[in-house]
Amino acid sequence: FCAGGIDLSSVDDFTCVVYMFPYDDDREKVDVLMRTWCPEEKIWDTKNKYKEQYQAWAREGWLHVTEGTAIDYDFVRHEIVEDSKVFNMGLIGVDRQFQGIGFSMDLEKDLGHTEKRPIVITCTNHPTRIGPVCQEFERRLLKKKINHGGNPILRFMIDSVAVRISPDGDKKPDKDKSQGKIDGVISMLYALDRLLRSTPPPKIKLPMSI
């Protein structure tokens, strides 16, 4: 069983899906699998200061390259559907920005689910919504309960992330202040939120939906 989180790129950068697999004997402990896609032109773009890293990740198989200048959402959905044939997928959270609502509806149909039994939910990273999930993620990270299998893209994103704290004390990743791309971190938070909402019920109090 796994829960998923998806952060879509606007046009020409990373799109990430993260799957979280809880351990049977310790549901706080999870294995993380991340898939990352990027348009081919981006990895050769001279304006991309990380292009050499992108190229290395592509050669090593961590980064999946799609043809053209813009991310191919159809290809991404196809890959997720193929994953669903291997993994027992539960809930999936998708960032509602950058065509997220349309992507979610199309993915729902591709996965064969109906409006009465949705598996794909659009999410937002507003501090009041994502704050409790950030707190839980940080707690598990400090307790070494999150295993990402040495994924270099995810390690890069975690090292890059900056956090914004609202006046109420809620935390959220801050893309503007982060040193590099953090799409995988957003995807992990959505995956964790969906996992916490799966059975058995979570022990922490969450907003109605993010």
Side-chain angles (χ1 to χ4, degrees):
F1 167 79
C2 69
I6 303 172
D7 188 42
L8 302 173
S9 60
S10 57
V11 177
D12 65 349
D13 219 319
F14 288 148
T15 284
C16 299
V17 57
V18 164
Y19 303 116
M20 276 193 173
F21 301 83
Y23 282 56
D24 292 334
D25 59 346
D26 183 358
R27 279 184 60 86
E28 284 195 352
K29 189 175 182 180
V30 294
D31 285 334
V32 173
L33 172 64
M34 183 173 79
R35 300 203 190 283
T36 309
W37 297 270
C38 180
E40 183 177 21
E41 186 167 298
K42 187 68 177 182
I43 72 172
W44 303 106
D45 186 356
T46 56
K47 296 179 181 179
N48 176 12
K49 63 180 180 180
Y50 302 113
K51 68 179 186 302
E52 292 183 1
Q53 286 175 287
Y54 283 35
Q55 292 166 22
W57 293 333
R59 286 195 303 270
E60 295 167 1
W62 298 103
L63 179 60
H64 304 282
V65 179
T66 64
E67 295 182 0
T69 60
I71 194 69
D72 186 343
Y73 288 145
D74 292 340
F75 181 80
V76 171
R77 289 201 322 274
H78 170 77
E79 294 286 283
I80 295 172
V81 171
E82 290 301 303
D83 287 340
S84 73
K85 298 175 183 178
V86 180
F87 309 140
N88 177 20
M89 289 188 187
L91 301 176
I92 301 174
V94 182
D95 194 320
R96 66 183 58 178
Q97 298 187 81
F98 308 131
Q99 304 183 43
I101 295 176
F103 181 94
S104 299
M105 294 174 63
D106 290 338
L107 180 59
E108 187 100 325
K109 293 177 183 177
D110 293 343
L111 291 171
H113 289 265
T114 66
E115 291 183 2
K116 293 183 179 180
R117 298 192 63 185
I119 187 174
V120 184
I121 308 294
T122 56
C123 302
T124 175
N125 62 3
H126 188 278
T128 58
R129 300 292 189 181
I130 203 70
V133 186
C134 285
Q135 184 177 2
E136 176 66 8
F137 176 79
E138 185 177 13
R139 187 183 70 81
R140 294 192 188 200
L141 200 62
L142 291 173
K143 292 180 68 176
K144 298 183 179 179
K145 297 284 189 176
I146 297 176
N147 171 33
H148 63 57
N151 186 313
I153 303 179
L154 195 45
R155 184 184 293 118
F156 166 79
M157 291 178 176
I158 292 173
D159 288 342
S160 298
V161 70
V163 174
R164 179 188 304 173
I165 303 177
S166 74
D168 295 329
D170 293 311
K171 297 179 180 180
K172 63 165 287 186
D174 190 331
K175 287 189 175 183
D176 293 333
K177 293 184 179 180
S178 297
Q179 296 300 310
K181 297 297 178 181
I182 62 169
D183 309 77
V185 177
I186 302 294
S187 297
M188 273 203 297
L189 292 174
Y190 290 154
L192 179 58
D193 174 79
R194 295 299 106 184
L195 186 62
L196 291 168
R197 296 176 190 276
S198 304
T199 54
K203 295 181 179 180
I204 67 170
K205 185 176 181 181
L206 293 171
M208 289 299 293
S209 177
I210 66 168

